[in-house]
Amino acid sequence: MSSATPPIGTAMVLAAGLGKRMRPLTATRPKPLVEVAGKALLDHVLDRLRSAGIGKVVVNAHYLADALEAHLARKATDLDVRISDERALLLETGGGVAKALPLIDEDHFLIANSDNLWIDGPVDAIDLLASSWDDAAMDALLLLVPLARANCHSGMGDFHMDGVGRIARRRPSRVAPFVFTGVQIVSKRLFHDLPEGAFSFNLLWDRAIAEGRAFGLVHQGLWFDVGTPPAIARTESLLGLA
């Protein structure tokens, strides 16, 4: 699918977290501005959005929000950036996206975490997601990576996936074969009957899973969970930059 006419018009980048696991690097800067391979994590994500032809970007901000906004003003002049201001209250992943919905024009849109770094495989990962989106069948389409290829990740996996791509949760005390990469396409249909204030996106995933409308797609390239300072050095080493 050509990125000249992007099927996804808007992306939301989740950038409001406190970055506690990345301390002490986040004592003076928000986690999305921590550098990996000579570039801020946020800029890695923005480059992937540019490659997919996405020009509208919503970024939520809470911790050290002024620094985040100043960085975007310098580094993202080619993008239509809208800030969803969470300075007054950190809303978690689900609440943060819900608050930002008035800034998003499309019925379905991309969401990307700002602390995961991915390298495209043979096909642009966002284009692959977009071309696989089936609005009649899906409310969420998650980019997943096999647990065995989840670099710098210490979890036990997140999801199982059946033959048509529907996902199910990892069972307690068991291992699941796929890890969520932090990249997904979702429909605004998910955002109904929401709780007040902060809540996790898990609430919305569980809703979509129960209705058989949550799907996964396997990422063909590299992926790194850059959540802690040691993960930075490990990621740079695996990329051949150390």
Side-chain angles (χ1 to χ4, degrees):
M1 182 174 293
S2 171
S3 60
T5 54
I8 301 296
T10 301
M12 179 168 185
V13 180
L14 300 180
L18 298 174
K20 292 180 179 179
R21 291 194 305 137
M22 193 61 89
R23 290 176 179 168
L25 298 179
T26 49
T28 57
R29 70 188 118 175
K31 186 177 180 181
L33 301 190
V34 170
E35 291 194 357
V36 179
K39 184 187 299 184
L41 282 164
L42 177 60
D43 292 339
H44 284 285
V45 176
L46 295 179
D47 282 349
R48 299 276 72 79
L49 301 182
R50 291 183 180 99
S51 294
I54 295 175
K56 294 180 182 178
V57 184
V58 176
V59 182
N60 64 344
H62 171 78
Y63 176 63
L64 298 177
D66 289 350
L68 192 72
E69 288 196 65
H71 181 89
L72 287 164
R74 292 194 310 270
K75 296 282 192 173
T77 55
D78 58 321
L79 300 171
D80 176 6
V81 177
R82 308 168 187 186
I83 300 295
S84 182
D85 193 335
E86 294 182 27
R87 284 176 174 86
L89 177 65
L90 183 61
L91 292 170
E92 297 186 44
T93 49
V97 177
K99 176 181 172 63
L101 288 180
L103 302 175
I104 299 170
D105 301 325
E106 289 78 12
D107 290 330
H108 63 276
F109 56 97
L110 187 90
I111 303 172
N113 294 353
S114 60
D115 58 354
N116 301 134
L117 189 154
W118 76 95
I119 307 295
D120 287 326
V123 179
D124 182 292
I126 296 175
D127 279 352
L128 187 63
L129 272 177
S131 63
S132 302
W133 177 259
D134 181 348
D135 199 62
M138 299 174 178
D139 285 338
L141 177 60
L142 283 60
L143 187 67
L144 306 175
V145 66
L147 180 59
R149 291 200 287 112
N151 294 301
C152 308
H153 186 76
S154 58
M156 298 172 65
D158 300 316
F159 296 104
H160 298 267
M161 186 162 53
D162 69 14
V164 297
R166 284 193 183 88
I167 58 174
R169 290 280 191 184
R170 176 178 66 83
R171 291 178 286 277
S173 303
R174 302 290 294 274
V175 173
F178 296 102
V179 172
F180 176 52
T181 64
V183 184
Q184 60 180 322
I185 295 175
V186 301
S187 170
K188 283 188 175 178
R189 285 186 296 267
L190 275 178
F191 298 86
H192 61 84
D193 301 323
L194 301 177
E196 292 291 327
F199 66 92
S200 168
F201 213 94
N202 285 310
L203 173 73
L204 304 178
W205 283 339
D206 287 343
R207 179 179 288 171
I209 289 170
E211 295 174 354
R213 296 184 61 82
F215 288 76
L217 189 70
V218 178
H219 178 46
Q220 301 300 313
L222 299 174
W223 179 80
F224 303 88
D225 183 355
V226 193
T228 63
I232 295 175
R234 177 66 177 150
T235 297
E236 291 174 342
S237 176
L238 291 168
L239 289 171
L241 299 172

